[in-house]
Amino acid sequence: MLKWLLPTAHLKGRIGYIPVSSLTAISLPADRSKWAPIFLRIMGSPDTANGLQINGMGGGISSLSKICVVGSPSTEQKAQAIDAEYTFAQVGIHDATVDYAGNCGNLSSMVGPFALAESICTKQEPSDQTTIHLFNTNTNSRIHTTFPITVLNGQTLPKLDLPQTSVAGVPGQASRILLEFPSPSGARTGKLLPTGNVVDIIHIRAFPGTQIPASLVDATNPSVFISHDDISRILDTPSQSSLDYGNHQIREIIESIRTEAAIKMGLDPTSQAQPKIAIVSPASSADYDIGVHAFSMGVLHKAVPMTLGLCLGVAANIEGSVAWKNARPSSRREPSVGVAITKMKHPSGIVEVHTTFRQGGILQSVGTVRTGRWLMKGVVYH
């Protein structure tokens, strides 16, 4: 039975493989408690048979089961120069979970172009680019996206097909989308270091009597950072050897660490979306500053969730943190002020994160460059 016909745009916030259904808020019920059944039907969840989401638009992995709902800003938000607001939803695959706990950096990069193209906001610019000021309801945070524009029949529209830059794991070039998170500290917990500690000791329930140092950091999204060497120690393997992070035993250890860290951060340990967790390692070549293997919804990510990557860029500049100890010293900022550029290697390539600090070492912003592509515009049945 057709209940709703929802306008949608299928986009790629490019890290290579992340489609998202962007729905305009006006097309959904005002009562947000009614959104979850709609989102589950759109994505084809829960798929308990094989987890492929065959009966919907999802793709069977966490990166392919996401929705952004984009709408006009409130009167109060307009007074603060907000152009559009959006809500991110992580839709479960095997279960009926719809999680609003966090945000997605890669998809955030395409919310601005979507809002402009759908006339949720309008811009009249003297230059060939514009900046859209967004408000993310999940983290109550401001986010800025800057991208090229063109004018067609008097309307300013995003121009996303310029050969300006490339992203690891994505063939070809596209327009440069600058994604910036101003004042990113404490996105969920209210503190950059939710426990007040640069390093916490986490007891691993999956391995009774075993503990591991971890840095619990909340910048753009709450994240947990542990080191490759410490995981190798727990598994009694040489630290120089590579690990199969898709191995069931390692995944069990990682999830145990993540849930314990969630409790310490004051977050829901049953939510797989937050906090995210990553294993970091020192660089093995001059091409990058730190290695990272990230987990999303309990599964090894093929690259790095961008909000986690942004948080890692911040963590690498917190003296004494697990990330700081593993990062190349030359990538760190000056003690009091400046911009730190951190190149991190993930399984699909290298991404660069820029972290800016004000006088006194106060975190001002963190950002990166993305690309994006329009795939289609139409309606989705549920």
Side-chain angles (χ1 to χ4, degrees), residues 182-250:
S183 304
S185 296
R188 287 290 298 174
T189 66
K191 296 179 181 180
L192 178 61
L193 300 173
T195 66
N197 303 319
V198 173
V199 175
D200 284 274
I201 300 301
I202 305 294
H203 296 275
I204 306 174
R205 292 188 181 183
F207 269 48
T210 305
Q211 57 189 30
I212 189 171
S215 289
L216 317 183
V217 184
D218 183 3
T220 71
N221 253 348
S223 304
V224 181
F225 300 106
I226 55 178
S227 77
H228 170 91
D229 285 353
D230 285 324
I231 291 293
S232 297
R233 171 181 55 81
I234 291 168
L235 295 172
D236 195 26
T237 61
S239 60
Q240 295 82 7
S241 62
S242 60
L243 295 175
D244 177 11
Y245 292 117
N247 175 275
H248 175 74
Q249 183 186 40
I250 294 180

Side-chain angles (χ1 to χ4, degrees), residues 205 254-264 267 269-270 275:
R205 292 188 181 183
I254 297 300
E255 182 60 15
S256 180
I257 295 168
R258 194 195 67 82
T259 55
E260 289 299 309
I263 295 170
K264 284 183 175 289
L267 301 171
T270 66

Side-chain angles (χ1 to χ4, degrees), residues 79-292:
Q80 299 172 5
I82 300 294
D83 297 309
E85 73 159 31
Y86 72 102
T87 301
F88 167 71
Q90 179 73 60
V91 181
I93 297 170
H94 298 276
D95 56 34
T97 301
V98 178
D99 199 313
Y100 301 101
N103 187 20
C104 176
N106 289 297
L107 303 187
S108 296
S109 67
M110 282 299 287
V111 172
F114 175 81
L116 185 62
E118 291 297 310
S119 298
I120 292 172
C121 62
T122 58
K123 291 285 182 175
Q124 298 294 328
E125 299 285 0
S127 66
D128 57 359
Q129 68 176 23
T130 191
T131 297
I132 304 295
H133 300 89
L134 305 170
F135 183 81
N136 174 247
T137 64
N138 306 78
T139 59
N140 292 318
S141 301
R142 294 181 65 137
I143 296 156
H144 302 164
T145 56
T146 302
F147 50 88
I149 53 174
T150 187
V151 177
L152 183 63
N153 297 326
Q155 183 182 1
T156 301
L157 296 170
K159 179 72 172 174
L160 302 181
D161 58 356
L162 300 174
Q164 293 180 329
T165 191
S166 60
V167 172
V170 182
Q173 292 190 317
S175 299
R176 183 179 186 269
I177 302 175
L178 176 61
L179 177 67
E180 182 186 16
F181 288 69
S183 304
S185 296
R188 287 290 298 174
T189 66
K191 296 179 181 180
L192 178 61
L193 300 173
T195 66
N197 303 319
V198 173
V199 175
D200 284 274
I201 300 301
I202 305 294
H203 296 275
I204 306 174
R205 292 188 181 183
F207 269 48
T210 305
Q211 57 189 30
I212 189 171
S215 289
L216 317 183
V217 184
D218 183 3
T220 71
N221 253 348
S223 304
V224 181
F225 300 106
I226 55 178
S227 77
H228 170 91
D229 285 353
D230 285 324
I231 291 293
S232 297
R233 171 181 55 81
I234 291 168
L235 295 172
D236 195 26
T237 61
S239 60
Q240 295 82 7
S241 62
S242 60
L243 295 175
D244 177 11
Y245 292 117
N247 175 275
H248 175 74
Q249 183 186 40
I250 294 180
R251 287 173 55 186
E252 185 180 13
I253 293 172
I254 297 300
E255 182 60 15
S256 180
I257 295 168
R258 194 195 67 82
T259 55
E260 289 299 309
I263 295 170
K264 284 183 175 289
M265 299 173 88
L267 301 171
D268 180 3
T270 66
S271 170
Q272 281 198 314
Q274 298 295 325
K276 297 197 181 301
I277 186 166
I279 303 167
V280 296
S281 56
S284 59
S285 76
D287 297 333
Y288 64 103
D289 302 309
I290 190 169
V292 58

